[in-house]
Amino acid sequence: MTNLPSIYGLTQDQLAAWLLERGHKKFRATQVWEWLYRKRVTDFAAMADVNPDCIALLAEHFAITVLEEHTKQESTDGTIKFLLRLADGNLIETVLMRHKFGLSVCVTTQVGCNIGCSFCASGLLAKSRDLTSGEIVGQIMKVQLHLDQAGKGERVTHIVVMGIGEPFDNFENMADFINVVKDHKGLAIGPRHITVSTSGLANKIYEFTDSNLQVNLAISLHAPNDELRTRIMKINRAIPIAKLMEAIDYYLAKTKRRITLEYILLKDVNDRKEHALELAELVGERRSLANVNLIPYNPVDEHSQYQRSEPESIREFYDILKKQGISCSVRLEHGTDIDAACGQLRSKQIRSVKEA
């Protein structure tokens, strides 16, 4: 792989400014953009109607970086989990999921994760670095090129930023990524079809709100009180629920957009009747703009202290929230016959290399 930065890392405005500084017309950026994201060429030389001097300049400073596929797992439900190799040899996970409403891709924003949720496979390996915006965009392009090669005319329609890492801990690159993929002259993925999930970095929720990215926000809550949340999510020591809810209130008041509260159900840990009632009380007056997404747990060998809640416990938890007037849903599962938990495939691959 080349050491040149990926051109996928530039927004269209950044690309136009870069070319203008070097004496090229602004419309060249639009031409290049369409070749990258509409025609999806992977070689600058294929951009037939772009000025040759402009092509030479771009090729000198950038690469069209197609991420290398290390491993691919395909589920019977159509889910595909890609383990991709970055230029420096690091491995990341990207997942394609098939829904009735379209094709969704879950992207990774960091190599490893430092948030340290006690139930999560992503945090089994500590963060070594942030991904560049080009590496995040490159995941979408890898999946879209895979679809193009299949020849069925399918396209990525939805994105969830819920892979390995904390997106708000890599805020600037995440924001550039969003501005690239939602650009209407390129991949044109609608802002309402993009969801970013955070473990609750309150200061970044304020920044996200003020940035006007217009994409959806999800919060990894997973517990209705500080004692329990601190036990399973160490971030709660620094940012307790009251502080997190203040940031959420700022988001709701300013954007008037619905927010998703994610809640992984752990058997006999956070799935009891009293937890459901406490969660309903926490949501409280925010219920008109909040949806609780109940998530059946995908067990991880290294976190054997946690097990998936029983189906009847999930149903009872759901019913209690509904009776309390809380909008809620149970997440549909994808890829249960492969390494379903986020970060699980990556940690297995790295562990097997170390043991070899």
Side-chain angles (χ1 to χ4, degrees), residues 2-10 15 18-19 28-37 39-66:
T2 177
N3 289 325
L4 292 174
S6 174
I7 196 167
Y8 292 144
L10 297 179
L15 177 59
W18 190 90
L19 288 171
R28 293 293 181 206
T30 302
Q31 287 182 307
V32 171
W33 198 261
E34 290 182 352
W35 280 105
L36 287 172
Y37 298 110
K39 299 171 184 175
R40 293 190 278 279
V41 302
T42 56
D43 186 343
F44 287 115
M47 298 180 179
D49 61 352
V50 181
N51 178 279
D53 291 340
C54 181
I55 291 295
L57 183 67
L58 290 170
E60 182 183 351
H61 290 88
F62 299 102
I64 304 176
T65 307
V66 178

Coordinates of all heavy atoms in Angstrom, one line a residue, residues 2-10 15 18-19 28-37 39-66:
T2 N 0.4 2.3 -0.7 CA 1.1 3.6 -0.7 C 1.0 4.3 0.6 O 0.1 4.1 1.4 CB 0.5 4.5 -1.8 OG1 1.2 5.7 -1.7 CG2 -0.9 4.7 -1.6
N3 N 2.0 5.1 0.9 CA 2.0 6.0 2.1 C 1.3 7.3 1.9 O 1.2 8.1 2.8 CB 3.4 6.2 2.6 CG 4.0 4.9 3.2 OD1 3.3 4.1 3.8 ND2 5.3 4.8 3.0
L4 N 0.8 7.6 0.7 CA 0.1 8.8 0.4 C -1.2 8.8 1.1 O -1.9 7.8 1.3 CB -0.1 9.0 -1.1 CG 1.2 9.2 -2.0 CD1 0.8 9.2 -3.4 CD2 1.8 10.5 -1.6
P5 N -1.7 10.0 1.6 CA -3.0 10.1 2.2 C -4.1 9.7 1.2 O -4.0 10.0 0.0 CB -3.1 11.5 2.7 CG -2.1 12.3 1.8 CD -1.0 11.3 1.5
S6 N -5.2 9.2 1.7 CA -6.3 8.8 0.9 C -7.1 10.0 0.5 O -7.4 10.9 1.4 CB -7.2 7.8 1.6 OG -8.4 7.6 0.9
I7 N -7.4 10.1 -0.8 CA -8.3 11.3 -1.2 C -9.7 11.1 -0.7 O -10.4 12.1 -0.6 CB -8.3 11.3 -2.8 CG1 -8.8 12.7 -3.2 CG2 -9.1 10.2 -3.4 CD1 -8.6 13.0 -4.7
Y8 N -10.0 10.0 -0.2 CA -11.4 9.8 0.4 C -11.5 10.6 1.7 O -12.6 10.8 2.2 CB -11.6 8.3 0.8 CG -11.8 7.4 -0.4 CD1 -11.3 6.1 -0.4 CD2 -12.5 7.8 -1.6 CE1 -11.5 5.2 -1.5 CE2 -12.7 6.9 -2.6 CZ -12.2 5.6 -2.6 OH -12.4 4.8 -3.6
G9 N -10.3 11.1 2.2 CA -10.4 11.8 3.5 C -10.8 13.3 3.3 O -11.0 14.0 4.3
L10 N -10.9 13.8 2.1 CA -11.2 15.2 1.8 C -12.7 15.3 1.6 O -13.3 14.6 0.8 CB -10.5 15.7 0.6 CG -8.9 15.8 0.7 CD1 -8.4 16.3 -0.6 CD2 -8.5 16.6 1.9
L15 N -11.4 19.5 -1.0 CA -10.8 19.2 -2.2 C -10.8 20.4 -3.2 O -9.7 20.7 -3.8 CB -11.5 18.0 -2.9 CG -11.0 17.6 -4.3 CD1 -9.6 17.2 -4.3 CD2 -11.9 16.5 -4.9
W18 N -8.2 22.9 -1.9 CA -6.8 22.4 -2.2 C -6.4 22.6 -3.7 O -5.3 23.0 -4.0 CB -6.8 20.9 -1.9 CG -5.4 20.3 -1.9 CD1 -4.5 20.2 -0.8 CD2 -4.7 19.7 -3.0 NE1 -3.3 19.6 -1.2 CE2 -3.4 19.3 -2.5 CE3 -5.0 19.4 -4.3 CZ2 -2.5 18.6 -3.3 CZ3 -4.1 18.8 -5.1 CH2 -2.9 18.4 -4.7
L19 N -7.4 22.3 -4.6 CA -7.1 22.5 -6.0 C -7.0 24.0 -6.4 O -6.1 24.4 -7.2 CB -8.2 21.9 -6.8 CG -8.1 20.3 -6.9 CD1 -9.4 19.8 -7.5 CD2 -6.9 19.8 -7.6
R28 N -13.1 21.5 -11.1 CA -12.3 20.2 -11.2 C -12.6 19.3 -10.0 O -12.7 18.1 -10.1 CB -10.8 20.6 -11.2 CG -10.3 21.3 -12.5 CD -10.4 20.4 -13.7 NE -9.9 21.1 -14.9 CZ -10.3 20.9 -16.1 NH1 -11.2 19.9 -16.3 NH2 -9.8 21.5 -17.1
A29 N -12.9 20.0 -8.9 CA -13.2 19.2 -7.7 C -14.5 18.4 -7.9 O -14.6 17.2 -7.5 CB -13.3 20.1 -6.5
T30 N -15.5 19.1 -8.5 CA -16.8 18.4 -8.8 C -16.6 17.2 -9.8 O -17.2 16.1 -9.6 CB -17.8 19.4 -9.4 OG1 -18.0 20.5 -8.5 CG2 -19.1 18.7 -9.7
Q31 N -15.7 17.4 -10.8 CA -15.4 16.3 -11.7 C -14.8 15.2 -11.0 O -15.2 14.0 -11.2 CB -14.5 16.8 -12.8 CG -15.1 17.8 -13.9 CD -14.0 18.1 -14.9 OE1 -12.9 18.6 -14.6 NE2 -14.3 17.9 -16.2
V32 N -13.8 15.4 -10.2 CA -13.1 14.4 -9.5 C -14.0 13.7 -8.6 O -14.0 12.4 -8.4 CB -11.9 15.0 -8.8 CG1 -11.2 13.9 -7.8 CG2 -10.8 15.5 -9.7
W33 N -14.9 14.5 -7.9 CA -15.8 13.9 -6.9 C -16.7 12.9 -7.6 O -17.0 11.8 -7.0 CB -16.6 15.1 -6.3 CG -17.3 14.7 -5.0 CD1 -18.6 14.4 -4.9 CD2 -16.7 14.7 -3.7 NE1 -18.9 14.2 -3.6 CE2 -17.8 14.4 -2.8 CE3 -15.5 15.0 -3.2 CZ2 -17.6 14.3 -1.5 CZ3 -15.3 14.9 -1.9 CH2 -16.3 14.5 -1.0
E34 N -17.3 13.2 -8.7 CA -18.2 12.3 -9.4 C -17.5 11.1 -9.9 O -18.1 10.0 -9.8 CB -18.8 13.1 -10.6 CG -19.8 14.1 -10.2 CD -20.5 14.8 -11.3 OE1 -20.1 14.6 -12.5 OE2 -21.4 15.6 -11.1
W35 N -16.2 11.2 -10.3 CA -15.5 10.0 -10.7 C -15.2 9.1 -9.5 O -15.3 7.9 -9.6 CB -14.1 10.4 -11.3 CG -14.2 10.8 -12.8 CD1 -14.2 12.0 -13.3 CD2 -14.4 9.9 -13.9 NE1 -14.3 12.0 -14.6 CE2 -14.4 10.7 -15.0 CE3 -14.6 8.5 -14.0 CZ2 -14.6 10.2 -16.3 CZ3 -14.7 8.0 -15.3 CH2 -14.8 8.8 -16.4
L36 N -15.0 9.7 -8.3 CA -14.7 8.9 -7.1 C -16.0 8.2 -6.6 O -15.9 7.0 -6.2 CB -14.2 9.8 -6.0 CG -12.7 10.3 -6.2 CD1 -12.4 11.4 -5.1 CD2 -11.7 9.2 -6.1
Y37 N -17.1 8.9 -6.5 CA -18.2 8.4 -5.7 C -19.4 8.0 -6.6 O -20.2 7.2 -6.1 CB -18.6 9.5 -4.7 CG -17.5 9.7 -3.7 CD1 -16.9 11.0 -3.7 CD2 -17.2 8.8 -2.8 CE1 -15.8 11.2 -2.7 CE2 -16.2 9.0 -1.9 CZ -15.5 10.2 -1.8 OH -14.5 10.4 -0.9
K39 N -19.0 7.2 -10.2 CA -18.5 6.2 -11.1 C -17.5 5.2 -10.4 O -17.2 4.1 -10.9 CB -17.7 6.9 -12.3 CG -18.7 7.8 -13.1 CD -17.9 8.6 -14.1 CE -18.9 9.6 -14.9 NZ -18.2 10.5 -15.8
R40 N -17.1 5.6 -9.3 CA -16.3 4.8 -8.4 C -15.0 4.2 -9.0 O -14.8 3.0 -8.8 CB -17.2 3.8 -7.7 CG -18.2 4.4 -6.7 CD -18.9 3.4 -5.9 NE -20.0 2.8 -6.6 CZ -21.2 3.3 -6.7 NH1 -21.5 4.5 -6.3 NH2 -22.2 2.6 -7.3
V41 N -14.3 5.0 -9.7 CA -13.0 4.5 -10.2 C -12.0 4.5 -9.1 O -12.1 5.2 -8.1 CB -12.5 5.4 -11.4 CG1 -13.5 5.5 -12.5 CG2 -12.1 6.8 -10.8
T42 N -11.0 3.6 -9.3 CA -10.0 3.4 -8.3 C -8.6 3.8 -8.8 O -7.6 3.4 -8.2 CB -10.0 2.0 -7.7 OG1 -9.8 1.1 -8.8 CG2 -11.3 1.7 -7.0
D43 N -8.6 4.5 -9.9 CA -7.3 5.0 -10.5 C -7.5 6.4 -11.1 O -8.5 6.6 -11.8 CB -6.9 4.0 -11.6 CG -5.5 4.3 -12.2 OD1 -5.0 5.4 -12.0 OD2 -5.0 3.4 -12.9
F44 N -6.7 7.3 -10.7 CA -6.8 8.7 -11.2 C -6.8 8.7 -12.7 O -7.5 9.5 -13.4 CB -5.7 9.6 -10.7 CG -5.9 9.9 -9.2 CD1 -4.9 9.5 -8.3 CD2 -6.9 10.7 -8.8 CE1 -5.1 9.8 -6.9 CE2 -7.1 11.0 -7.4 CZ -6.2 10.5 -6.5
A45 N -6.0 7.8 -13.3 CA -5.9 7.8 -14.8 C -7.2 7.5 -15.5 O -7.3 7.8 -16.7 CB -4.8 6.8 -15.2
A46 N -8.1 6.9 -14.8 CA -9.4 6.6 -15.4 C -10.4 7.8 -15.5 O -11.5 7.7 -16.1 CB -10.1 5.5 -14.6
M47 N -10.0 8.9 -14.9 CA -10.8 10.1 -14.9 C -10.7 10.8 -16.2 O -10.0 11.8 -16.3 CB -10.5 11.0 -13.7 CG -10.7 10.3 -12.3 SD -10.3 11.4 -10.9 CE -10.7 10.3 -9.5
A48 N -11.4 10.3 -17.2 CA -11.1 10.7 -18.6 C -11.3 12.2 -19.0 O -10.5 12.7 -19.8 CB -12.1 9.8 -19.5
D49 N -12.2 12.9 -18.3 CA -12.5 14.3 -18.7 C -11.8 15.3 -17.8 O -12.1 16.5 -17.9 CB -14.0 14.5 -18.8 CG -14.7 14.3 -17.5 OD1 -14.0 13.9 -16.5 OD2 -15.9 14.7 -17.4
V50 N -10.9 14.8 -16.9 CA -10.3 15.7 -16.0 C -8.9 16.1 -16.6 O -8.2 15.3 -17.2 CB -10.0 15.1 -14.6 CG1 -9.3 16.0 -13.7 CG2 -11.4 14.6 -14.0
N51 N -8.6 17.4 -16.5 CA -7.3 18.0 -17.0 C -6.1 17.1 -16.6 O -6.0 16.8 -15.4 CB -7.2 19.4 -16.5 CG -5.9 20.0 -16.9 OD1 -4.8 19.8 -16.3 ND2 -5.9 20.9 -18.0
P52 N -5.3 16.7 -17.5 CA -4.1 15.8 -17.2 C -3.2 16.4 -16.1 O -2.7 15.6 -15.3 CB -3.4 15.7 -18.6 CG -4.4 15.9 -19.6 CD -5.4 16.9 -19.0
D53 N -3.0 17.7 -16.2 CA -2.1 18.3 -15.1 C -2.8 18.2 -13.7 O -2.1 17.9 -12.7 CB -1.9 19.8 -15.4 CG -1.1 20.0 -16.6 OD1 -0.3 19.1 -17.0 OD2 -1.1 21.1 -17.2
C54 N -4.1 18.3 -13.7 CA -4.8 18.1 -12.4 C -4.7 16.6 -12.0 O -4.4 16.4 -10.8 CB -6.3 18.5 -12.6 SG -7.3 18.3 -11.1
I55 N -4.8 15.7 -12.9 CA -4.7 14.3 -12.6 C -3.3 14.0 -12.0 O -3.1 13.3 -11.0 CB -4.9 13.4 -13.8 CG1 -6.4 13.5 -14.2 CG2 -4.5 12.0 -13.6 CD1 -7.4 12.9 -13.2
A56 N -2.3 14.5 -12.7 CA -0.9 14.3 -12.3 C -0.6 14.9 -10.9 O 0.0 14.2 -10.0 CB 0.1 14.9 -13.3
L57 N -1.2 16.0 -10.6 CA -1.1 16.7 -9.3 C -1.7 15.8 -8.2 O -1.1 15.6 -7.1 CB -1.7 18.1 -9.3 CG -1.5 18.9 -8.0 CD1 -0.1 19.3 -7.8 CD2 -2.4 20.2 -8.1
L58 N -2.9 15.4 -8.5 CA -3.6 14.5 -7.5 C -2.9 13.2 -7.2 O -2.7 12.8 -6.1 CB -5.0 14.2 -8.0 CG -6.0 15.4 -8.0 CD1 -7.3 15.0 -8.7 CD2 -6.4 15.9 -6.6
A59 N -2.4 12.6 -8.3 CA -1.7 11.3 -8.1 C -0.4 11.5 -7.4 O 0.1 10.5 -6.7 CB -1.4 10.7 -9.5
E60 N 0.2 12.7 -7.4 CA 1.4 12.9 -6.7 C 1.2 13.1 -5.2 O 2.1 12.7 -4.4 CB 2.1 14.2 -7.3 CG 3.4 14.6 -6.6 CD 4.0 15.9 -7.1 OE1 3.4 16.5 -8.1 OE2 4.9 16.4 -6.5
H61 N 0.0 13.5 -4.8 CA -0.2 13.9 -3.4 C -1.2 12.9 -2.7 O -1.2 12.9 -1.5 CB -0.7 15.3 -3.3 CG 0.3 16.3 -3.6 ND1 0.5 16.8 -4.9 CD2 1.2 17.0 -2.8 CE1 1.5 17.7 -4.8 NE2 1.9 17.8 -3.6
F62 N -2.0 12.2 -3.5 CA -3.0 11.4 -2.9 C -3.1 10.0 -3.5 O -2.6 9.8 -4.6 CB -4.4 12.0 -3.0 CG -4.6 13.3 -2.4 CD1 -4.5 14.5 -3.2 CD2 -4.7 13.5 -1.0 CE1 -4.6 15.7 -2.6 CE2 -4.9 14.7 -0.4 CZ -4.8 15.9 -1.2
A63 N -3.7 9.1 -2.8 CA -4.0 7.7 -3.3 C -5.5 7.5 -3.2 O -6.2 8.1 -2.4 CB -3.3 6.7 -2.5
I64 N -6.0 6.7 -4.1 CA -7.4 6.2 -4.0 C -7.3 4.9 -3.3 O -7.1 3.9 -3.9 CB -8.1 6.1 -5.4 CG1 -8.1 7.4 -6.2 CG2 -9.6 5.7 -5.2 CD1 -8.6 7.3 -7.6
T65 N -7.5 5.0 -2.0 CA -7.1 3.8 -1.1 C -8.2 2.9 -0.9 O -9.2 3.2 -0.2 CB -6.6 4.3 0.3 OG1 -5.6 5.3 0.1 CG2 -6.0 3.2 1.1
V66 N -8.2 1.7 -1.6 CA -9.1 0.6 -1.4 C -8.6 -0.3 -0.3 O -7.5 -0.8 -0.4 CB -9.4 -0.1 -2.7 CG1 -10.4 -1.3 -2.4 CG2 -9.9 0.8 -3.8

